[in-house]
Amino acid sequence: MAYRNYNPLSFPRMYFFIVYFYVYFRVSFALTFTNEPASQDVNQGGQANFHCSVDDPDSAEITWTLDGNTISDTSRRYVDGEYLTIKEVLRNADAGYFACEAKDTNTGKVIKSAPAVLNIKYSVCYLGAFHCTMTVGRRT
């Protein structure tokens, strides 16, 4: 068997190597966060905004959690792409640890951001004589 006409870069072999390297590099490089949510202090009744982004947004599904529970869209809390907005913040319902989770749609792997703390400030006044500011939330 002679190998005088053997071309190592023939079309089938070249196609195989291109597909192999594409799959190898696509699977090897997992998603990473380019921006993670930051802790913040908000007055009760105010608005809180969290932002989270990954290096390949086209192949990621972003979800948000509060104290480990997935957040569903409501009239006060909603997700818009990489952003989580909370309107009319309530101290008993919204104080806690918010985190972003990104699922790679190609591999199914999930990465989780470091938690961000939402501290909600409110004022208490007794008979107009004293003014106290209290904060409800969890400090990191």
Side-chain angles (χ1 to χ4, degrees):
M1 185 169 182
Y3 289 102
R4 62 186 161 172
N5 292 330
Y6 175 74
N7 182 355
L9 295 178
S10 65
F11 180 74
R13 288 182 186 93
M14 187 169 61
Y15 182 74
F16 170 76
F17 285 114
I18 290 171
V19 170
Y20 173 79
F21 284 115
Y22 174 77
V23 170
Y24 174 78
F25 285 113
R26 188 75 179 140
V27 171
S28 296
F29 297 109
L31 286 176
T32 57
F33 287 109
T34 55
N35 187 12
E36 294 190 48
S39 297
Q40 54 189 291
D41 294 338
V42 178
N43 291 327
Q44 180 163 295
Q47 180 171 310
N49 298 300
F50 291 101
H51 179 234
C52 176
S53 59
V54 293
D55 57 354
D56 187 8
D58 294 333
S59 67
E61 293 177 1
I62 304 287
T63 56
W64 289 87
T65 61
L66 169 58
D67 294 331
N69 301 315
T70 302
I71 296 174
S72 301
D73 285 351
T74 65
S75 59
R76 284 189 331 100
R77 291 185 197 155
Y78 57 89
V79 176
D80 183 16
E82 301 173 338
Y83 296 89
L84 169 65
T85 301
I86 306 169
K87 293 183 175 181
E88 301 173 11
V89 171
L90 300 172
R91 69 178 189 225
N92 295 330
D94 298 320
Y97 295 102
F98 286 84
C100 171
E101 294 182 354
K103 179 180 179 181
D104 189 327
T105 56
N106 296 316
T107 64
K109 292 182 181 179
V110 176
I111 58 172
K112 298 179 182 181
S113 70
V117 180
L118 179 59
N119 293 303
I120 302 167
K121 300 187 291 186
Y122 67 100
S123 297
V124 178
C125 229
Y126 296 102
L127 302 173
F130 299 101
H131 181 76
C132 303
T133 300
M134 302 178 73
T135 301
V136 173
R138 296 170 182 94
R139 291 281 182 195
T140 54

